[in-house]
Amino acid sequence: MKIKKIAVTVPSLAKGGLERVAVQEAKELEKFYDVTLVVMDSFRVDYPFEGKKVELSVDLENRNILSRAYNLLKAAFKLRRLVVQEKFDLMISHGELSTLPNVLSIDCDMLAVVHENRYAALKDFQGRLVNGILKYLLSSSKVKKVVTVSEGIRDTLVERLDIDGEKIKTIYNPYDIEKIGAMAKARGEISSIFEGLPLLLTVGRLTMQKGQWYLIRIFAELKRRNPELKLMILGIGELKERLIKLSRELGLNVYEWDKGEKIDLAYDIYFMGFMSNPFEYISVSKLFVMSSLWEGFGNTIVESMACGVPVLTSDCRSGPGEIVAPSFKKRGLEADDVYDEEYGVLMPVFENSFVDAHSRMSEKELLWVDTIEKLLLDEERLNRLRSKGFERANDFSKDIIVSEWKSLIEEVSV
């Protein structure tokens, strides 16, 4: 059967990398197919889509387990009616919150995209439950192929969930490198303030996954050594107040975007919330830093490289190492020290536990401090990383990645 009509399903159009990637994919695939973007929850739009779109209006923000179960069943019922009405040839579901209702709805061939690798991080009862549900979903006969956004996720699904490796294909996330570059050149009143300053920057939801408390502790020590240093954090999330409290306990002067305060250089650390154009802020930073405890891929790493900014990241499972040190990761190695022989700096990953302001700095944290301090003083090394990083970003250009998606779609249509 020749595939013509495709539904791309996504939990929402807000918040994170999964949603942004799904919208980008839908935009590119609609150049070749009749594509409809199906949105489960429309509570906010951060990533607009101008093509054909159906909103199911199902509340997925409510985290109560019974409410979420009911709403997912409600989504499955609505999807069943939609598939019968539209007669889709193929459904591409992004994330478990899209895959579950798809599997429960009427028969339709599916490609299930897995964006996260928390299955390697969660080892408690919740983790085992999540793994069990995921294995059920991905083993469904409706799922013709499982698409992982990194090889690390693929390895986890094979090793921990016993998913058949032949059923899994890795396709990295697509990026519009030219558009990112153009947006990075914008200079608003705020971003202009930081141009030319020693600014560290990170982007990501304020959650346990991102480990930003480690970065804040590391920054506090760096600040004692270099009083001119600044840290900017772009993102929203449930750990915001806890991270702000930690910052103040460490003696840092904190700026909060949503307080309506005038922004100037009197602050040490800037919590900027969600920005529709993060690239103008990334582009004025001296170093992009990611302290994640686990990742699926690491969208902001590629985006920072596309902005011409050097990257230093934890070697968490999975994604970041594949981006900044692909040959290192192909050898099955993990960074237990500093590694910067390829496209960025790869650092040891931290433990999955919150650390307060009163705890002593660990050896890993001190290694990060020393590495960042030396890197900021080495302009030749920074320039090499800028150049190599930009070169690497182009490996993930949308044209290259979309051609891989087209090949997979044609393969499952046979």
Side-chain angles (χ1 to χ4, degrees), residues 139-204:
S139 300
S140 169
S141 60
K142 298 178 187 178
V143 178
K144 299 306 176 186
K145 280 283 186 178
V146 176
V147 178
T148 58
V149 299
S150 70
E151 289 291 344
I153 298 179
R154 182 188 186 281
D155 293 344
T156 297
L157 296 183
V158 172
E159 295 166 10
R160 293 180 179 265
L161 272 65
D162 197 29
I163 304 295
D164 182 3
E166 294 297 316
K167 192 177 183 177
I168 306 173
K169 181 176 179 61
T170 296
I171 301 181
Y172 291 126
N173 292 336
Y175 301 86
D176 190 331
I177 304 299
E178 290 186 7
K179 183 178 180 180
I180 291 172
M183 293 176 71
K185 292 177 182 177
R187 286 294 177 272
E189 181 181 353
I190 296 173
S191 58
S192 298
I193 295 173
F194 296 93
E195 198 153 17
L197 295 180
L199 173 68
L200 305 179
L201 186 140
T202 192
V203 182

Side-chain angles (χ1 to χ4, degrees), residues 5 34 36 52 54 81-89:
K5 291 192 73 172
D34 181 356
T36 299
K52 292 169 63 176
V54 174
R81 289 192 306 183
L82 181 64
V83 171
V84 170
Q85 177 184 325
E86 297 294 331
K87 295 182 172 59
F88 294 118
D89 299 316

